[in-house]
Amino acid sequence: MNGEPLPRDHGYPCRVILPGHAGCRQCKWVHKMILSDKESNKCWQQKSYRHFAPDINFEKDLATWPPERLDQAPISQMMPVQSFICNPPQNTILGGKNADSVAVKGVAWSGGGREIQRVDVSIDGGKTWTAAELYKPIKQKWNHHWAWTQFYQTIKLPEEIQKRLKNGEKVSLDLCSKALNSDFNVQPERMVPVIDCNSSGI
């Protein structure tokens, strides 16, 4: 991994790699392979990494197994489109008395090898959005987009915020991003409705 022998906690001596699929499906410490027409009955396949409805609570609804409506909790196989801001880091305090803009950088990725085609960024918690510039250093084939897509944008600060900064006031910015993939799947604009979308934290 990264030019070095595979570390034990990452699956040494052998790990299955399935580009575009969720990491939970990329088995570690492989010692044998079985071809079967049925899915595995192991707990990692049957109980873990399922997408439950927002109103399902781990302690209340999943303490006994199986739950009433397991059919409403599909097994995770491919991850959704996602992005996050790397710079500035979360809770950063920036000096900006004469600042008129803020530079935002991050990465985006989508499961199933889907291409990231746009990333929108916001400095006001998603009230307004602007498209970021994309940087794709690796040329990838159709539906074989396994690598992260980098994005960056310099966003102009509203006049009111610039005035407050010049007066020496402290202002707070709520930076966020949302990516769009080649299937036109897009991240939610806000985390509130989906932050507890499942009991596995996916």
Side-chain angles (χ1 to χ4, degrees), residues 2-200:
N2 298 326
E4 300 290 336
L6 187 66
R8 189 172 297 277
D9 60 342
H10 284 282
Y12 175 87
C14 182
R15 181 175 186 175
V16 173
I17 299 296
L18 301 168
H21 293 264
C24 58
R25 303 293 165 236
Q26 306 191 37
C27 301
K28 301 178 181 179
W29 312 293
V30 176
H31 63 94
K32 67 179 177 181
M33 298 180 70
I34 300 173
L35 297 179
S36 173
D37 60 353
K38 299 180 179 64
E39 67 181 27
S40 172
N41 61 5
K42 300 294 185 182
C43 66
W44 301 111
Q45 180 74 14
Q46 296 301 321
K47 295 184 179 181
S48 303
Y49 305 109
R50 286 179 175 269
H51 285 265
F52 291 93
D55 60 343
I56 297 298
N57 177 276
F58 189 85
E59 288 80 10
K60 178 171 66 74
D61 302 298
L62 303 179
T64 58
W65 195 267
E68 273 187 41
R69 296 297 306 273
L70 192 58
D71 62 306
Q72 293 182 342
I75 294 171
S76 305
Q77 187 64 39
M78 295 184 188
M79 298 300 288
V81 58
Q82 53 198 284
S83 68
F84 58 89
I85 293 172
C86 303
N87 190 48
Q90 188 174 7
N91 298 322
T92 296
I93 297 176
L94 301 172
K97 186 172 183 179
N98 296 309
D100 61 359
S101 62
V102 60
V104 175
K105 298 179 181 180
V107 291
W109 182 84
S110 183
R114 302 303 189 261
E115 180 184 11
I116 295 296
Q117 294 194 331
R118 195 180 77 231
V119 178
D120 300 327
V121 289
S122 172
I123 61 172
D124 56 14
K127 295 177 183 176
T128 59
W129 297 91
T130 187
E133 301 294 337
L134 302 184
Y135 174 58
K136 303 180 181 183
I138 301 173
K139 186 172 179 59
Q140 301 172 88
K141 297 178 181 178
W142 182 75
N143 279 355
H144 285 67
H145 292 263
W146 314 131
W148 288 97
T149 293
Q150 300 174 41
F151 64 87
Y152 60 94
Q153 184 58 274
T154 299
I155 305 174
K156 187 173 179 60
L157 296 173
E159 294 293 335
E160 178 60 30
I161 288 181
Q162 291 188 46
K163 288 180 182 178
R164 291 177 60 191
L165 288 173
K166 287 179 181 178
N167 291 334
E169 295 181 44
K170 183 178 179 180
V171 299
S172 295
L173 301 178
D174 187 358
L175 307 181
C176 53
S177 64
K178 61 182 177 77
L180 173 80
N181 73 6
S182 52
D183 285 341
F184 282 86
N185 292 318
V186 65
Q187 284 178 266
E189 291 191 353
R190 292 171 182 79
M191 287 294 292
V192 176
V194 295
I195 197 164
D196 294 320
C197 66
N198 66 87
S199 300
S200 299

